[in-house]
Amino acid sequence: MVRDALARPLRDLRISVTDRCNFRCSYCMPREVFNEDYPYLAREEILSFEELEHLVASLIPLGIEKVRLTGGEPLLRRDFVKLVEKISAHDVEVAVTTNGVLLESQAEALADAGLDRVTVSLDALDNETFQKMTDSDVDVSVVLAGIDAAIAAGLTPVKVNAVVRRGVNEHAIQDLVNYFRGTGVIVRFIEYMDVGSSNSWRLEEVISAKEIRDILLEKIDLMVIPPQDASHVAKLWQTTEGDKIGFITSISEPFCGDCSRGRISSEGKFYNCLFAENGFNLKPYLRAKATSSEIQELVSSVWTKRSDRYSELRSEPEIEGRIRLPVEMSHIGG
Ligand code: SAM
Ligand code: SF4
Ligand code: SF4
């Protein structure tokens, strides 16, 4: 198993399968930037299914246990089910993060293709806030139907990720927890992050996990669940009836010390960190038909030098003054 300079293993691989999306969430792909003039990648620039499968198969011996397919919106990728089928043929857990718009129609086929789990992003239950945050006219019922279809297809436990922004969707905190009580769905609240260079992030808009919990505690009792595995990003709590609620505290309580996630951008660059400024371009090697051991060696040499821990350093002066990071969440995958 490969370890980085801080002794962290490479256990999870997050792969962005497309840089395109059918939403324009203001915290991720604001429409002013991601409009028709934005230089999206051309089809031949993104990794093919064969290249992705070869990459995953090559990296499993380094210790990869889980592959998360994300984006952009992964379900927009043509024949996405076939990619899931290819990756699931290998000895790894396969998960997808999606905005859920196309989930109702694809959930069963994805489960049949070997998908293990799905995470659906959903920031509010009322149409007004939902449409404002996603900058779309999609009805929230479409995403809720996608979640139901995922549960029916056995892609459980379904997780729902909600980014909370001050002054925008605080009211959704209680709504989401109430709505999913008793369904087995794990609602996870994500602190709004300063990722990419387009979202004009401001610390004042971040609502910390503690604040979110305090809002919940006004109405319900919650108990902390002791962590089972340090590499899990969410800190879990539960209601008295056993409904799990997660908090992803990238800002208030960073978890870089246990970060075992490598990331592949849609154009085939390997990134050590969500906030990395540069990635190692694997595409030329994949296109030149590099063998598994060659790919393994390249990624090992990048990972063994890894000392990234951006979230832990965020407030230190040399980072604070830095120009905003160039890699967009939609390229590198959330
Ligand atoms: N389109 C899919 C979706 O939304 O689930 C997958 C890609 S999206 C980039 C993955 C996750 O990143 C989503 O749960 C989204 O809410 C989260 N995300 C995007 N921008 C973020 C930000 N600035 N802060 C925190 N989370 C963010
Ligand atoms: Fe699209 Fe997901 Fe980003 Fe929203 S968070 S714009 S759904 S990639
Ligand atoms: Fe991992 Fe980088 Fe996030 Fe820290 S900031 S948890 S190293 S991805």
Side-chain angles (χ1 to χ4, degrees):
M1 189 192 277
V2 64
R3 291 203 176 252
D4 73 6
L6 302 174
R8 297 170 295 185
L10 172 57
R11 263 205 217 107
D12 304 285
L13 204 57
R14 300 201 167 194
I15 304 177
S16 171
V17 299
T18 174
D19 61 338
R20 290 164 198 255
C21 189
N22 41 1
F23 277 175
R24 286 291 176 275
C25 305
S26 51
Y27 52 73
C28 178
M29 296 180 74
R31 199 175 290 280
E32 315 82 81
V33 177
F34 293 88
N35 52 31
E36 57 282 1
D37 299 326
Y38 185 80
Y40 293 103
L41 296 167
R43 195 174 166 76
E44 62 278 10
E45 289 177 276
I46 60 177
L47 294 189
S48 68
F49 289 178
E50 290 67 31
E51 288 162 347
L52 286 169
E53 184 186 8
H54 180 46
L55 181 56
V56 169
S58 305
L59 298 186
I60 290 174
L62 295 183
I64 301 288
E65 292 170 3
K66 184 168 163 188
V67 172
R68 177 167 296 280
L69 302 171
T70 173
E73 174 46 40
L75 303 196
L76 280 181
R77 177 88 187 244
R78 194 182 306 159
D79 294 328
F80 180 65
V81 169
K82 287 194 185 143
L83 175 64
V84 169
E85 203 169 70
K86 281 182 184 295
I87 308 248
S88 303
H90 300 272
D91 188 20
V92 276
E93 189 184 318
V94 185
V96 165
T97 302
T98 169
N99 62 26
V101 175
L102 301 172
L103 190 56
E104 188 182 13
S105 57
Q106 295 192 26
E108 206 176 311
L110 287 168
D112 290 347
L115 185 69
D116 293 296
R117 255 189 276 286
V118 68
T119 297
V120 181
S121 303
L122 176 62
D123 303 331
L125 285 171
D126 62 293
N127 258 330
E128 194 187 337
T129 315
F130 174 75
Q131 292 179 347
K132 185 173 159 204
M133 287 190 84
T134 56
D135 196 357
S136 77
D137 54 12
V138 171
D139 198 283
V140 74
S141 61
V142 173
V143 178
L144 295 175
I147 293 171
D148 288 345
I151 296 171
L155 299 169
T156 50
V158 172
K159 292 177 193 155
V160 163
N161 276 359
V163 175
V164 188
R165 268 177 105 168
R166 193 179 303 284
V168 183
N169 65 330
E170 291 102 321
H171 62 278
I173 296 170
Q174 200 78 57
D175 290 357
L176 284 163
V177 167
N178 287 344
Y179 182 86
F180 289 109
R181 275 179 105 161
T183 63
V185 168
I186 304 175
V187 177
R188 309 188 317 163
F189 295 103
I190 309 182
E191 291 175 347
Y192 175 37
M193 288 190 287
D194 49 341
V195 76
S197 55
S198 315
N199 67 9
S200 319
W201 181 87
R202 289 183 308 124
L203 185 60
E204 301 81 74
E205 284 184 275
V206 177
I207 304 206
S208 71
K210 168 147 192 338
E211 276 181 85
I212 296 172
R213 229 168 14 246
D214 286 346
I215 292 172
L216 288 171
L217 285 168
E218 284 170 18
K219 300 266 168 62
I220 52 173
D221 287 331
L222 287 178
M223 288 160 297
V224 69
I225 305 177
Q228 317 249 298
D229 176 349
S231 71
H232 285 175
V233 296
K235 296 178 177 68
L236 286 178
W237 290 60
Q238 66 182 347
T239 63
T240 38
E241 294 88 27
D243 302 289
K244 291 188 179 126
I245 299 169
F247 299 92
I248 302 181
T249 58
S250 349
I251 305 287
S252 65
E253 222 182 302
F255 36 81
C256 303
D258 298 311
C259 179
S260 54
R261 289 176 293 282
R263 294 165 192 273
I264 310 282
S265 69
S266 5
E267 83 248 70
K269 290 187 180 162
F270 182 91
Y271 287 89
N272 279 335
C273 171
L274 183 54
F275 298 90
E277 287 175 84
N278 297 302
F280 181 87
N281 196 358
L282 289 167
K283 189 165 62 184
Y285 299 93
L286 289 164
R287 300 249 151 124
K289 308 267 178 278
T291 63
S292 290
S293 50
E294 284 165 344
I295 299 285
Q296 256 172 51
E297 233 163 82
L298 289 166
V299 172
S300 282
S301 70
V302 173
W303 191 261
T304 46
K305 292 189 204 80
R306 174 187 192 244
S307 60
D308 302 55
R309 49 190 196 97
Y310 175 83
S311 287
E312 289 182 349
L313 301 174
R314 178 182 277 114
S315 55
E316 293 190 3
E318 68 270 25
I319 295 272
E320 218 169 15
R322 168 165 135 185
I323 299 164
R324 295 237 68 81
L325 300 147
V327 193
E328 296 296 343
M329 191 86 145
S330 49
H331 274 246
I332 198 175

